[in-house]
C-alpha cells in the first residue's frame, strides 16, 4: 500500500475525529466564497454594463444660457459634432412642459422629453417588451409624480394640456390625448424631475407651439436644449470633450454614480477579503491543533510504521497528505455551502432596486480561476499548518513512539 492510499484509509477511519476541522474550514470557506462571489458578479456587471456602456462614454453639451457668442444646439450642430473624430453618435434632448389630467381629477405637470439611447430610464411597468422608440402619442412617465400614482394608468388614454404661444407673457391652452405605455422608477432624474419620455415628433410639436415658431423651423432656429455626444470608447472621452469645447460649446463628461459598487456590495467585498484572511488563520491553526492531537493519539501506529521500515519522510508525507485530503474535502463542502448561502443572499439583495441589477443569477460564486485558486490555497494552508506537528511526530524514534503501548 502506497503512502497516498494509506493516508486515504486513515482519513476514512478517523473521520469522526476530523469532523471539527472539516466543519470549521468548510463554513469559513463558504462564507468567504459567497461574499467574494457576490462582489465578483457585481463587479462583472459593473464592468460590462457601465464602464464601456454608452452612458459612460457620453459627453453632455447644454444649451448656452446668457452667452451670445455660443451658437444654439440646432440640427446643424448635431451634424457638426457627429463629424468630430472618435464620435460614435450624437443624441439630442428637447423638452416641453405639459399637464396630465387623470380621471380622478388630479393634474400632474410633466416635461415631455425626447428619448436618448445612451441614458434609458429604468422602466418598471410597460405595455410591451420593447418600448423604445416610442410611437407618436405615447409617453413613458415616472411611476409616481407630485403625489399621484401613475403606474395604475399604464395602457390607458389620458387627457393632456399644452400651451400655444400667443404673445409675450400670454398663451392659450391646447387639449389633447396621449397613451401612457410605461412608467419608470421615479428616483431616476437624469433628465430632470418629472421627465416624461415621448416620441421626437410629439416633443418638437409641443415645444414649437410653446415657443411660437413653426414646427418645421424649430430645430433650425430654437434647437435642442441638450446634446449627448457618445465617444467610441471610454478612452476617447477626454479627447472628444476637448474637441467639443474647442468649437465653443460647454461640455462636461457625464458623472457616473455607477463607477463604484453600491455601498452594500462594497461592504460585502470587504467582508469577503477579511474572511479570506480569517479562513487562512483558522485553517492553519486548526491543522496545527488537530495534527498535533492526532499524532499524540497515534503514537503507537507511527512507531509500528517506522519499525516495519517506513522512513521518517514517508511518515511525514502520510500525515501531511491526510491533512491535505481533509482540506480538500472541507474546501469542496465549503463550495457547495457557499452556493446555498449565495442564493439566500441574492434573494435578500434583489429586494433592493439599486442592488438588483448587480446580482443576476442564483449561483453566485467567484470566477472559475478565482475559485480554483481559493480551493488550492485552502488545501495548501491546511497542509502547511500540519507540517510542524507532523514533522515532530515523524522524527520520533520507534522505541519512543511505542514505549507506552
Amino acid at each position: 500500500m502506497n503512502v497516498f492510499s494509506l493516508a486515504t484509509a486513515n482519513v476514512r477511519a478517523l473521520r469522526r475525529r476530523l469532523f471539527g476541522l472539516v466543519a470549521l474550514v468548510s463554513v469559513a470557506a463558504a462564507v468567504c466564497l459567497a461574499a467574494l462571489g457576490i462582489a465578483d458578479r457585481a463587479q462583472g456587471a459593473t464592468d460590462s454594463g457601465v464602464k464601456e456602456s454608452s452612458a459612460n462614454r457620453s459627453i453632455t453639451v447644454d444649451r448656452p444660457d446668457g452667452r451670445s457668442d455660443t451658437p444654439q444646439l440646432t440640427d446643424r450642430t448635431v451634424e457638426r459634432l457627429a463629424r468630430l473624430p472618435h464620435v460614435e453618435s450624437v443624441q439630442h434632448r428637447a423638452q416641453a412642459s405639459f399637464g396630465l389630467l387623470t380621471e380622478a381629477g388630479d393634474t400632474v405637470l410633466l416635461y415631455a422629453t425626447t428619448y436618448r439611447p445612451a441614458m434609458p430610464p429604468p422602466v418598471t411597468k410597460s405595455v410591451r417588451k420593447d418600448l423604445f422608440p416610442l410611437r407618436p402619442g405615447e409617453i413613458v412617465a415616472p411611476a409616481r409624480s407630485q403625489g399621484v400614482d401613475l403606474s395604475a394608468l399604464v395602457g390607458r388614454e389620458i387627457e393632456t394640456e399644452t400651451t400655444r404661444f400667443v404673445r409675450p407673457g400670454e398663451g392659450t391652452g391646447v387639449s389633447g390625448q396621449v397613451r401612457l405605455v410605461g412608467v419608470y422608477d421615479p428616483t431616476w432624474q437624469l433628465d430632470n424631475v418629472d421627465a416624461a419620455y415621448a416620441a421626437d415628433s410629439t416633443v418638437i410639436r409641443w415645444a414649437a407651439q410653446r415657443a411660437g415658431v413653426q414646427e418645421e423651423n424649430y430645430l433650425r432656429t430654437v434647437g435642442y436644449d441638450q446634446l449627448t455626444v457618445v465617444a467610441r470608447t471610454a478612452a476617447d472621452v477626454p479627447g472628444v470633450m476637448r474637441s467639443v469645447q474647442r468649437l465653443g460649446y460647454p461640455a462636461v463628461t457625464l458623472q457616473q454614480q455607477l463607477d463604484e459598487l453600491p455601498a452594500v456590495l462594497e461592504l460585502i467585498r470587504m467582508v469577503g477579503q477579511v474572511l479570506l484572511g480569517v479562513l487562512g488563520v483558522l485553517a492553519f491553526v486548526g491543522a496545527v491543533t488537530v495534527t498535533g492531537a492526532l499524532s499524540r493519539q497515534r503514537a503507537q501506529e507511527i512507531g509500528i510504521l517506522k519499525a516495519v521500515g517506513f522512513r521518517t519522510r514517508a511518515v511525514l508525507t502520510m500525515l501531511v497528505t491526510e491533512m491535505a485530503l481533509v482540506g480538500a474535502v472541507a474546501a469542496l463542502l465549503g463550495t457547495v455551502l457557499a452556493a446555498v448561502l449565495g442564493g439566500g443572499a441574492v434573494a435578500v439583495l434583489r429586494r433592493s432596486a439599486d442592488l438588483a441589477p448587480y446580482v443576476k443569477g442564483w449561483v453566485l460564486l467567484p470566477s472559475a480561476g478565482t475559485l480554483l485558486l481559493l480551493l488550492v490555497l485552502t488545501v495548501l494552508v491546511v497542509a502547511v499548518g500540519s507540517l510542524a506537528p507532523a514533522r515532530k511526530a515523524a522524527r520520533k524514534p520507534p522505541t519512543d513512539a511505542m514505549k507506552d503501548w
Side-chain angles (χ1 to χ4, degrees):
M1 179 178 290
N2 57 40
V3 173
F4 181 80
S5 300
L6 185 59
T8 304
N10 288 339
V11 170
R12 286 199 298 266
L14 298 169
R15 58 184 179 275
R16 292 185 179 179
R17 300 181 188 179
L18 297 170
F19 177 79
L21 178 61
V22 172
L24 179 68
V25 176
S26 60
V27 171
V31 177
C32 175
L33 290 174
L36 291 177
I38 294 173
D40 185 67
R41 184 67 60 89
Q43 185 64 60
T46 302
D47 291 340
S48 62
V50 175
K51 289 189 176 178
E52 280 301 323
S53 70
S54 57
N56 199 48
R57 294 182 281 120
S58 297
I59 299 164
T60 301
V61 183
D62 287 311
R63 174 187 289 172
D65 293 326
R67 291 184 56 182
S68 58
D69 59 328
T70 304
Q72 297 298 312
L73 304 180
T74 63
D75 48 0
R76 292 186 179 181
T77 305
V78 175
E79 297 175 0
R80 188 181 187 187
L81 296 179
R83 290 194 294 267
L84 291 175
H86 309 296
V87 170
E88 181 180 280
S89 65
V90 179
Q91 301 172 15
H92 54 263
R93 188 191 76 175
Q95 288 189 320
S97 61
F98 71 101
L100 202 66
L101 290 76
T102 68
E103 293 181 355
D106 297 313
T107 301
V108 181
L109 179 64
L110 300 174
Y111 295 87
T113 306
T114 53
Y115 170 73
R116 290 176 290 177
M119 286 165 281
V123 176
T124 57
K125 184 179 180 181
S126 63
V127 297
R128 59 179 181 267
K129 182 178 180 181
D130 297 319
L131 276 181
F132 301 101
L134 294 171
R135 302 160 189 167
E138 295 181 339
I139 65 168
V140 176
R144 189 173 185 84
S145 178
Q146 299 159 37
V148 179
D149 184 6
L150 298 177
S151 59
L153 303 177
V154 172
R156 298 171 61 177
E157 299 285 338
I158 307 177
E159 296 289 332
T160 63
E161 183 170 329
T162 57
T163 302
R164 177 183 287 121
F165 176 85
V166 176
R167 60 180 60 89
E170 184 179 343
T172 183
V174 179
S175 298
Q177 276 193 333
V178 294
R179 183 175 182 237
L180 183 62
V181 294
V183 292
Y184 66 88
D185 186 345
T187 60
W188 169 271
Q189 299 179 0
L190 197 58
D191 281 310
N192 297 330
V193 181
D194 300 320
Y197 297 92
D200 285 15
S201 59
T202 301
V203 178
I204 298 303
R205 184 177 75 252
W206 290 349
Q209 288 177 354
R210 189 174 186 84
V213 301
Q214 294 183 346
E215 185 177 339
E216 57 270 21
N217 294 331
Y218 182 82
L219 295 181
R220 183 170 53 85
T221 56
V222 180
Y224 303 105
D225 61 82
Q226 189 179 88
L227 297 177
T228 299
V229 181
V230 182
R232 292 176 184 170
T233 67
D236 294 327
V237 170
V240 172
M241 183 176 65
R242 286 192 294 269
S243 298
V244 173
Q245 291 173 340
R246 277 197 292 267
L247 294 177
Y249 297 101
V252 294
T253 58
L254 181 66
Q255 297 298 320
Q256 276 295 333
Q257 295 180 346
L258 301 181
D259 283 344
E260 298 180 356
L261 296 178
V264 173
L265 292 176
E266 189 62 33
L267 177 62
I268 291 174
R269 175 192 295 280
M270 186 183 303
V271 169
Q273 293 172 346
V274 171
L275 287 176
L276 185 61
V278 174
L279 170 61
V281 173
L282 289 177
F284 184 86
V285 173
V288 171
T289 304
V290 173
T291 305
L294 288 178
S295 298
R296 289 190 295 270
Q297 295 174 10
R298 299 165 62 192
Q300 292 83 6
E301 175 189 341
I302 295 172
I304 292 174
L305 290 175
K306 299 197 70 174
V308 298
F310 273 74
R311 296 189 177 184
T312 299
R313 179 177 298 178
V315 175
L316 174 62
T317 302
M318 180 193 72
L319 296 175
V320 173
T321 302
E322 290 174 4
M323 289 298 102
L325 289 173
V326 171
V329 171
L332 293 176
L333 289 176
T335 303
V336 175
L337 185 56
V340 176
L341 290 176
V346 166
V348 174
L349 293 175
R350 280 184 176 166
R351 296 177 183 175
S352 169
D354 293 332
L355 301 179
Y358 295 90
V359 287
K360 296 179 179 179
W362 288 102
V363 181
L364 302 188
L365 292 175
S367 62
T370 303
L371 180 60
L372 181 60
L373 178 62
L374 291 176
L375 295 180
V376 171
L377 286 176
T378 301
V379 175
L380 185 60
V381 169
V382 173
V384 171
S386 68
L387 193 58
R391 182 184 290 113
K392 181 179 179 181
R395 287 179 175 177
K396 188 176 294 187
T399 54
D400 292 344
M402 299 174 63
K403 64 182 180 180
D404 296 326
W405 189 31

